[in-house]
Amino acid sequence: MTILVTGGAGFIGGNFVLDWLAGSDEPVVNLDKLTYAGNLETLSSLRHDARHVFVQGDIGDRSLVAALLAQHQPRAVLNFAAESHVDRSIHGPGEFIQTNVVGTFNLLEAVRAYWQDLPAGEREAFRFLHVSTDEVYGSLAPEDAAFVESSRYEPNSPYSASKAASDHLVRAWHHTYGLPVLTTNCSNNYGPFHFPEKLIPLVILNALAGKPLPIYGDGRQVRDWLYVKDHCSAIRRVLAAGKLGETYNVGGWNEKTNLEVVHTLCATLDALSPRADGQSYASQITFVQDRPGHDRRYAIDARKLESELGWKPQQTFDSGIRQTVQWYLSNQDWVQNVVSGHYRDWVAKQYGDRA
Ligand code: NAD
Ligand code: DAU
């Protein structure tokens, strides 16, 4: 038995592959285009591991995907591959449409052709699991109840609109062709191997480098945070026991304002790696121009996953943040490798005239 993972050199896909092979001997074929967000250093511990087959390629390359499916005969395909950063989608939405919409379409078509020709037993056991986001549901007011699986889709950014489109394609391939699909919609992740364009790793690295900690707008926007390894365990659970055609919200009931998150990070850094001058890292906080169309609040109601499939997160926000800060402090090699020329170009473009 084998699984095919797409986007497995990225943040969540990389954590998923590492966790999967730590808990099982079932091989993984890992298809990743290695965009700026893909990093083989994340998978360096698997370099000589025969259970991990890495293939550099695009989910939109239908003939490549067809060849991989024919060669490796996976029992499941898990689609993590995507353009994932909201700010980048505002600067350049084209890649988001290309990968998240057209790429998912091509992937679905290649998988459908493969699945249709499988022998009856394998056809029945096959699964296509699509990894999606809570951002497809739009933005909540402070008094609104958290998103449930039946919440209306109201995406507001080019990123979330492209993810919403991909979710709709996955749903339609089940409804029309019977493809055995599962979809997960997860809240904000954090943890090891997170690319430092996103709030939590950006703040940790800027703090340590003595740079400003940029807070968009008033910093009172709310996100619902989940440690990445808890997201990975939820995906394994949905793959094992999810009902075909269903979607599952994934979240840890950890709503925080961005200011709370940044102050928690500063306090953790103050304790684990204090500044030489004795001041708190919080003195580096700087308010900058807001993100256009910035969603005010996300919150996930994960009761369906908890009650139907018995999933529970292992980490609290405090324990997960502490582990994350510790991971960045102990993995400077990974950080230096990631913070390359392309990363510096992005930081100049995004923050240069924002202060
Ligand atoms: P990421 O940007 O860190 O990684 C994406 C990976 O996909 C990279 O390795 C990249 O090289 C690869 N990729 C991009 N385009 C590709 C293509 N056309 N073909 C093959 N590979 C391609 O993203 P992430 O944060 O790990 O997110 C993974 C998935 O989880 C995404 O679908 C995202 O929408 C979803 N998600 C993310 C979060 C979060 O907080 N990060 C939360 C919920 C859902
Ligand atoms: O909700 C799930 C989503 O979470 C995923 O689908 C996305 O792939 C993932 O990137 C994440 O999206 P966000 O836009 O919520 O994450 P980000 O880390 O970019 O920003 C978190 C919050 O912090 C958001 O309100 C914007 C704010 N922010 C972000 C950056 C990078 C700042 O205030 N300053 C910053 O410099």
Side-chain angles (χ1 to χ4, degrees):
M1 301 224 286
T2 298
I3 60 167
L4 191 151
V5 163
T6 72
F11 165 48
I12 303 174
N15 275 287
F16 181 85
V17 169
L18 291 169
D19 287 3
W20 181 270
L21 290 174
S24 140
D25 277 335
E26 185 174 358
V28 177
V29 179
N30 184 351
L31 172 65
D32 194 298
K33 189 175 170 183
L34 294 182
T35 67
Y36 77 92
N39 184 359
L40 283 179
E41 285 300 309
T42 299
L43 303 164
S44 61
S45 61
L46 301 175
R47 203 165 277 146
H48 304 296
D49 193 325
R51 299 170 305 164
H52 178 238
V53 177
F54 183 79
V55 180
Q56 183 172 3
D58 195 320
I59 56 166
D61 183 344
R62 218 186 282 186
S63 53
L64 170 65
V65 177
L68 289 176
L69 293 168
Q71 183 187 349
H72 297 282
Q73 300 279 306
R75 68 170 176 100
V77 172
L78 291 89
N79 184 30
F80 295 83
E83 288 293 334
S84 69
H85 189 33
V86 174
D87 292 322
R88 285 187 194 255
S89 83
I90 295 167
H91 284 285
E95 277 302 308
F96 288 72
I97 303 302
Q98 210 47 49
T99 283
N100 300 359
V101 186
V102 182
T104 303
F105 160 68
N106 280 306
L107 180 66
L108 281 166
E109 279 297 79
V111 170
R112 179 165 76 94
Y114 163 73
W115 166 75
Q116 272 173 346
D117 285 346
L118 285 174
E122 291 166 36
R123 196 163 182 264
E124 214 162 283
F126 183 81
R127 298 288 181 269
F128 179 91
L129 191 150
H130 180 61
V131 179
S132 193
T133 168
D134 60 358
E135 299 203 12
V136 298
Y137 299 123
S139 186
L140 292 167
E143 66 283 3
D144 288 342
F147 300 126
V148 290
E149 287 76 1
S150 56
S151 293
R152 207 166 73 180
Y153 270 39
E154 290 180 349
N156 291 319
S157 72
Y159 162 69
S160 54
S162 69
K163 288 297 289 185
S166 69
D167 292 8
H168 291 324
L169 292 174
V170 170
R171 176 190 158 90
W173 261 239
H174 174 70
H175 193 80
T176 304
Y177 304 113
L179 190 70
V181 308
L182 299 156
T183 298
T184 53
N185 293 88
C186 188
S187 61
N188 283 63
N189 283 212
Y190 66 97
F193 306 112
H194 204 180
F195 192 79
E197 62 187 353
K198 310 281 169 63
L199 180 70
I200 287 182
L202 182 102
V203 163
I204 296 172
L205 299 193
N206 278 16
L208 293 170
K211 294 180 181 164
L213 311 181
I215 307 268
Y216 296 166
D218 64 3
R220 301 198 185 281
Q221 304 84 2
V222 173
R223 297 292 183 264
D224 191 349
W225 294 94
L226 183 69
Y227 191 62
V228 63
K229 288 177 184 300
D230 284 326
H231 186 190
C232 294
S233 75
I235 290 171
R236 292 196 299 275
R237 189 71 199 124
V238 171
L239 179 66
K243 252 171 82 187
L244 293 188
E246 297 274 318
T247 68
Y248 294 89
N249 281 356
V250 187
W253 306 96
N254 277 312
E255 285 187 61
K256 306 277 175 209
T257 65
N258 294 337
L259 273 172
E260 283 176 291
V261 169
V262 174
H263 277 289
T264 304
L265 287 168
C266 290
T268 310
L269 282 164
D270 288 341
L272 295 178
S273 182
R275 267 174 47 156
D277 64 3
Q279 280 208 54
S280 169
Y281 288 100
S283 62
Q284 292 165 230
I285 289 176
T286 313
F287 289 87
V288 301
Q289 197 186 321
D290 208 351
R291 171 186 281 174
H294 199 168
D295 282 340
R296 198 67 184 164
R297 175 179 166 234
Y298 305 139
I300 275 283
D301 183 332
R303 272 177 294 185
K304 177 177 173 186
L305 178 59
E306 291 165 357
S307 63
E308 290 185 16
L309 303 186
W311 172 84
K312 262 201 193 69
Q314 297 297 307
Q315 299 297 332
T316 64
F317 184 68
D318 286 340
S319 69
I321 285 289
R322 202 176 167 83
Q323 287 188 37
T324 303
V325 170
Q326 266 163 342
W327 187 88
Y328 279 91
L329 289 171
S330 331
N331 286 275
Q332 285 301 312
D333 286 356
W334 184 90
V335 170
Q336 290 317 319
N337 181 53
V338 157
V339 182
S340 65
H342 287 312
Y343 176 71
R344 285 197 293 273
D345 293 346
W346 163 253
V347 170
K349 184 172 179 179
Q350 173 67 3
Y351 298 98
D353 56 1
R354 224 181 171 91

